[in-house]
Amino acid sequence: MFHTLLYRLERNQKRALAVLGCVFLILSIIWFVLELYDQSFPMEPIVVFVGGIATLLASYWPWAPHYTDRRLKGRASIDYMSNNQEFIIGREELSFTLKFSKASDERIHIYRDPSDIEAVALVHGAGLPSEVRDAKALDYSNRVISPAEGDVVVLRNIHGHYAAMVVCDVRDSTRNDDRDEVTISWVINPEHGTDFS
């Protein structure tokens, strides 16, 4: 449970807790040094206060998982069993709703079912989006594809834009992993571009 909580904290929450933890440790060291020299400065209340604040924030600071990433190029690790198994990359006409389902600890199913997705294709023989020279030439005949780790997937949205995505890592809680997660990296090609090189 503790691992899950830390995993889901947002970046600014982790940063604030790390800063408070460091301050707590520094104050503890100062307190120890002052005790060695028999100083009468009241360090104990300060140290206990900072430690208490850090503990309360770690326990009660509300977190909300994000199911979108508005960047046109990025990398994300996604709990693919949450949010109706969907994650959105990009923004406005350059957005793509990714729909996942469990396949194995090395593969993931990706669907063209979301309303903003027109087609999905698996790029055979490519390991990077930059190896996709003509996204129009791919086979978009399937409703679902099952890329393995390291495979490149191309999606076309209803506005005619293309995104190329690499499946970097797949975790499956039913196959000895500690969670259900897919890590992807993507590039969205603006202005209806089809060449990712």
Side-chain angles (χ1 to χ4, degrees), residues 2-23:
F2 181 70
H3 174 75
T4 303
L5 179 63
L6 283 180
Y7 176 71
R8 292 184 175 182
L9 289 174
E10 294 181 29
R11 183 176 298 161
N12 61 341
Q13 291 171 319
K14 289 181 184 177
R15 188 177 299 128
L17 292 174
V19 167
L20 282 172
C22 290
V23 169

Side-chain angles (χ1 to χ4, degrees), residues 73-76 89 128-129 153 164-168 183-187:
K73 181 178 183 180
R75 181 181 172 103
I89 58 173
L128 296 169
V153 172
M165 176 180 81
V166 178
V167 176
C168 303
T183 300
I184 59 169
S185 63
W186 70 89
V187 177

Side-chain angles (χ1 to χ4, degrees), residues 45-144:
I46 296 171
V47 172
V48 171
F49 176 78
V50 171
I53 292 290
T55 302
L56 286 173
L57 285 177
S59 300
Y60 297 106
W61 191 341
W63 61 268
H66 292 283
Y67 301 112
T68 61
D69 191 319
R70 294 175 54 83
R71 297 176 296 169
L72 299 184
K73 181 178 183 180
R75 181 181 172 103
S77 294
I78 304 153
D79 176 354
Y80 59 80
M81 296 303 288
S82 296
N83 194 45
N84 198 31
Q85 301 172 312
E86 293 182 348
F87 186 81
I88 300 170
I89 58 173
R91 58 187 176 269
E92 297 156 4
E93 286 192 1
L94 295 170
S95 71
F96 296 77
T97 302
L98 308 175
K99 174 87 172 176
F100 300 101
S101 72
K102 188 176 291 213
S104 74
D105 58 348
E106 295 178 354
R107 290 187 175 275
I108 190 85
H109 298 307
I110 301 175
Y111 297 81
R112 72 169 179 214
D113 295 355
S115 60
D116 64 340
I117 300 299
E118 190 172 79
V120 294
L122 184 60
V123 183
H124 298 285
L128 296 169
S130 60
E131 296 175 25
V132 178
R133 304 277 192 249
D134 183 9
K136 285 184 180 178
L138 300 172
D139 177 8
Y140 293 100
S141 62
N142 294 309
R143 173 185 158 253
V144 59

Side-chain angles (χ1 to χ4, degrees), residues 170-188:
V170 179
R171 296 186 183 203
D172 183 341
S173 63
T174 63
R175 293 177 172 89
N176 299 319
D177 287 319
D178 61 346
R179 59 187 173 266
D180 293 316
E181 180 183 84
V182 61
T183 300
I184 59 169
S185 63
W186 70 89
V187 177
I188 297 172

